[in-house]
Amino acid sequence: MAIEVGNLVRCKANGNMEADFSGTVEKVYENSALIAVTEYDEKDNMNIEDLQHKVIISLTKMKPIKAQK
C-alpha cells in the first residue's frame, strides 16, 4: 500500500522522538511525509509538545496501518 494523505501510519523512532509513534499523513513529499502525531509514548511528551504534534519523517521509516476511507 502506498503512503497517501489521510493514511494512518506507524513510524519508527527518529531524531525527534525516542519511541515509535502513530499518526495521520498530512502531506507527502518525494522521500518523506508530514505526520500529525496522534499516539506516542509518554516519554516523548515534551518532544511532541515542542514539535506541535507534527513530524516530517522518511517514507522508509513508516508503515501504513489503515488507508483513508
Side-chain angles (χ1 to χ4, degrees), residues 5 9 11 14-17 21-27 29 33-40 44-58 62:
V5 172
V9 293
C11 302
N14 62 7
N16 296 320
M17 303 288 281
F21 57 95
S22 299
T24 304
V25 177
E26 289 197 343
K27 185 167 183 159
Y29 303 103
L34 174 63
I35 307 298
V37 180
T38 54
E39 294 180 30
Y40 53 92
D44 282 321
N45 234 357
M46 258 173 72
N47 295 341
I48 202 68
E49 290 300 321
D50 286 346
L51 296 167
Q52 298 179 4
H53 294 263
K54 308 267 181 171
V55 176
I56 293 179
I57 189 163
S58 170
M62 66 180 74

Side-chain angles (χ1 to χ4, degrees), residues 3 10-12 30-33 57-64:
I3 303 292
R10 184 78 182 156
C11 302
K12 293 182 183 177
E30 189 171 324
N31 296 311
S32 59
I57 189 163
S58 170
L59 295 174
T60 62
K61 302 278 185 188
M62 66 180 74
K63 172 170 91 168

